[in-house]
Amino acid sequence: MRCPYCGGFNADRAIYCTTCGRDLRSPVPPAASQRGRPTSAPTPQQQPPRPMPGQQGRPGAASVPQAQQAPQQSRHPASAPPPPPPPEPPAPFPPTTIAELQALEQGALPYTVVESSVGDGHKKTVRIVYPKGVAWQQVATLLKACKEQQEEQFETILIQGVLEHDTSVYNFTNGQLRLDRNVRLGGLTTDRYQIETGNGFESDSVRIVLNGW
């Protein structure tokens, strides 16, 4: 039997504990009964962190906590920079006078004539290709082409701008300018410019109508 005082082992009919000498016949006080019970196993100590790969075998190498490790580079590429702002027109736009319209010509883009035709003897249609630009650049390029491609015998000059990949389309896709000569306004005779940007149907298309020489 086990002694309730010290926990020592004794014979089953022993009267006194061979370890502590106490009387095994007397009642066991509560505090003493707890001494004979085995205590709970001690909590194991926390294991040290394992060394990082590449640090094993090196003296003085210490593992780096995961929270302190350098963050990995983001897999998402950086966003593209915003496009540069469009160039400012050299004159007020939209123009309200012929002088303001002509002042825009200095900002015209280079163009190439892809088609030129004559209809009913009084109308000349010229189709040109040039880079896509903002509205005022389209107007400037169409105006420059009109001056360089017009002939005195034609009362109507129609300049249609098309994009390089849309040269086969029938309508214009990069602006249109129509010059009608000798238009009567009351008792006066004047020239009329009708200009549209884009394809004429876009929400940001600009339409300009000016009379003058």
Side-chain angles (χ1 to χ4, degrees):
M1 62 180 296
R2 185 185 294 272
C3 177
Y5 298 96
C6 68
F9 289 96
N10 300 274
D12 291 341
R13 297 182 179 181
I15 300 177
Y16 299 97
C17 177
T18 59
T19 302
C20 64
R22 297 199 180 189
D23 189 354
L24 300 178
R25 298 172 299 176
S26 60
V28 181
S33 63
Q34 299 295 331
R35 298 175 187 174
R37 297 183 181 180
T39 57
S40 58
T43 303
Q45 297 182 356
Q46 185 177 5
Q47 296 294 331
R50 296 183 178 179
M52 297 292 293
Q55 293 183 346
Q56 296 180 358
R58 292 190 303 172
S63 60
V64 180
Q66 186 175 3
Q68 298 179 3
Q69 297 178 8
Q72 297 182 358
Q73 186 177 4
S74 176
R75 298 181 181 179
H76 300 285
S79 57
E88 294 293 331
F93 186 83
T96 56
T97 64
I98 296 297
E100 293 178 354
L101 174 64
Q102 294 175 345
L104 293 173
E105 186 181 342
Q106 58 182 306
L109 301 173
Y111 70 91
T112 302
V113 177
V114 295
E115 183 181 350
S116 180
S117 60
V118 176
D120 66 26
H122 301 283
K123 178 181 178 181
K124 180 180 180 180
T125 301
V126 180
R127 293 168 63 81
I128 63 173
V129 173
Y130 62 95
K132 184 175 181 61
V134 294
W136 74 264
Q137 290 177 315
Q138 296 180 35
V139 174
T141 308
L142 295 170
L143 179 63
K144 181 180 180 180
C146 180
K147 288 186 177 182
E148 296 177 349
Q149 303 299 323
Q150 65 176 311
E151 299 178 48
E152 294 296 333
Q153 67 268 29
F154 300 108
E155 295 182 358
T156 299
I157 306 294
L158 186 64
I159 308 295
Q160 292 183 329
V162 293
L163 298 173
E164 186 174 2
H165 60 280
D166 292 336
T167 55
S168 61
V169 299
Y170 178 76
N171 294 323
F172 62 93
T173 56
N174 205 13
Q176 175 178 271
L177 182 149
R178 179 187 178 103
L179 170 60
D180 293 310
R181 291 174 172 158
N182 303 320
V183 177
R184 288 189 173 273
L185 293 177
L188 300 176
T189 302
T190 183
D191 294 342
R192 174 178 294 169
Y193 290 89
Q194 301 180 62
I195 310 172
E196 296 177 89
T197 64
N199 58 15
F201 299 101
E202 299 169 345
S203 60
D204 57 349
S205 294
V206 178
R207 179 177 177 84
I208 301 170
V209 178
L210 293 175
N211 297 314
W213 297 272

